[in-house]
Amino acid sequence: MRFTTIASGSSGNCTYVGSDNTHILIDAGISKKRIEEGLKTLDLGLSDIDAIFVTHEHSDHIAALHTILKKFDIPIYATNGTIQGIRSSDKKCEMTDSRFIEVSVDKEVAVGDMILNPMKISHDALEPCGYRVFCNGRKIGVATDLGCYTDYTVDCLKDCDALLLEANHDVRMLQTGPYPYQLKRRILGDTGHLSNDKSGELLCKLLHDNMKGIFLGHLSKENNLPELAYETVRVEIEMGDNPYSASDFPLMVASRSEVSPLLEF
Ligand SMILES: [Zn+2]
Ligand SMILES: [Zn+2]
């Protein structure tokens, strides 16, 4: 499997998961041009993409969908709620039902030689989800935009070979930062976003000997710094009740604007 982020952050998200035969994007929340530039670094173009799976209807996950669908006949996979959310923001009603394939949480769907299984996440969208991707006995987990995690989340993401995990904000930066009170409450709430501390705490429950790489992603531009996200999660791993050190795994902060290093396994 091949796995990287083309962009990750509160201002736009697009993740690539591929095998030799199948190429999938999870979310298309940056411009079509930037997605094409990112894919080019992987020797791919949008015409190679077999499917786009969407996590939820917020604009940082769907910004390019409309433009892509005008030119490419790529099927869009999403939950029913997310499809309704996308279509209600489609003023010209150009994204018809026929462009979408509905998925349900905990129901596997096959695309080429990959199997995707949506997982429930706690976020203030209509029917948001994360994704587990399986291919050739390998497993990748993509979980961003979650206000909290539960035993179910841990269960869904255990035994992953690689992960994209949200580390959205530093709680102190958010609390003392410029955001209005209501927005701070939204982000900190159970249906908001995962803090660096919580991300580290969750990751500690997911580490195992065969973990091949972790991307920390969906960082807030205003309330986080890549170094701070990395350091907070590193300390959680070092201090946590597990046998691991952060240097045991490639632990990377996914870039907001550039393609992250490609994980291949
Ligand atoms: Zn969101
Ligand atoms: Zn988001």
Side-chain angles (χ1 to χ4, degrees):
M1 285 178 102
R2 300 164 81 213
F3 179 40
T4 193
T5 61
I6 292 174
S8 183
S10 50
S11 43
N13 298 276
C14 183
T15 302
Y16 168 78
V17 185
S19 67
D20 289 344
N21 313 309
T22 308
H23 307 286
I24 286 171
L25 294 180
I26 297 179
D27 289 328
I30 50 174
S31 71
K32 170 174 161 286
K33 189 177 167 214
R34 281 183 60 202
I35 294 175
E36 284 176 319
E37 284 167 1
L39 285 172
K40 208 170 171 189
T41 69
L42 304 167
D43 287 324
L44 294 168
L46 275 169
S47 55
D48 298 306
I49 298 299
D50 296 292
I52 300 175
F53 283 76
V54 180
T55 59
H56 63 296
E57 70 276 17
H58 290 162
S59 62
D60 57 319
H61 300 262
I62 65 162
L65 268 195
H66 194 261
T67 325
I68 291 174
L69 287 182
K70 274 189 172 170
K71 288 210 170 140
F72 296 90
D73 194 20
I74 305 173
I76 310 297
Y77 290 74
T79 61
N80 179 48
T82 297
I83 294 171
Q84 300 319 318
I86 294 169
R87 293 194 62 199
S88 67
S89 67
D90 174 26
K91 301 277 183 293
K92 291 181 187 160
C93 297
E94 287 173 333
M95 290 194 273
T96 56
D97 261 344
S98 64
R99 308 304 301 264
F100 295 96
I101 297 173
E102 190 180 317
V103 298
S104 304
V105 290
D106 301 321
K107 291 220 167 63
E108 293 184 339
V109 48
V111 177
D113 59 3
M114 293 195 185
I115 289 177
L116 284 94
N117 195 353
M119 59 179 275
K120 205 175 187 168
I121 52 169
S122 174
H123 189 56
D124 52 2
L126 289 174
E127 196 184 347
C129 68
Y131 287 101
R132 293 156 279 183
V133 189
F134 302 87
C135 182
N136 295 328
R138 306 288 199 192
K139 176 181 177 184
I140 286 169
V142 174
T144 64
D145 302 76
L146 58 168
C148 60
Y149 66 87
T150 61
D151 289 346
Y152 165 84
T153 321
V154 174
D155 206 46
C156 287
L157 296 175
K158 70 182 182 198
D159 302 325
C160 278
D161 292 276
L163 278 169
L164 167 59
L165 202 60
E166 172 164 55
N168 179 259
H169 56 274
D170 177 77
V171 174
R172 233 158 298 126
M173 269 182 88
L174 177 67
Q175 281 168 340
T176 56
Y179 275 14
Y181 176 71
Q182 285 303 333
L183 186 54
K184 288 182 182 178
R185 269 193 51 172
R186 186 208 143 217
I187 295 169
L188 289 166
D190 274 357
T191 56
H193 290 278
L194 211 60
S195 68
N196 295 340
D197 307 83
K198 288 282 173 198
S199 184
E201 199 181 286
L202 171 57
L203 181 59
C204 283
K205 298 177 191 290
L206 303 173
L207 290 174
H208 57 86
D209 290 353
N210 291 316
M211 181 68 82
K212 294 166 188 70
I214 303 123
F215 293 115
L216 302 175
H218 208 297
L219 270 67
S220 163
K221 196 174 180 187
E222 285 79 18
N223 305 306
N224 210 351
L225 296 164
E227 302 76 16
L228 191 54
Y230 179 87
E231 191 54 22
T232 307
V233 171
R234 190 191 70 79
V235 169
E236 283 287 337
I237 297 173
E238 303 292 340
M239 308 291 277
D241 184 19
N242 65 67
Y244 302 114
S245 166
S247 57
D248 293 340
F249 314 92
L251 175 66
M252 296 165 279
V253 177
S255 168
R256 170 179 306 284
S257 53
E258 279 162 41
V259 181
S260 291
L262 183 67
L263 286 174
E264 285 185 272
F265 46 84

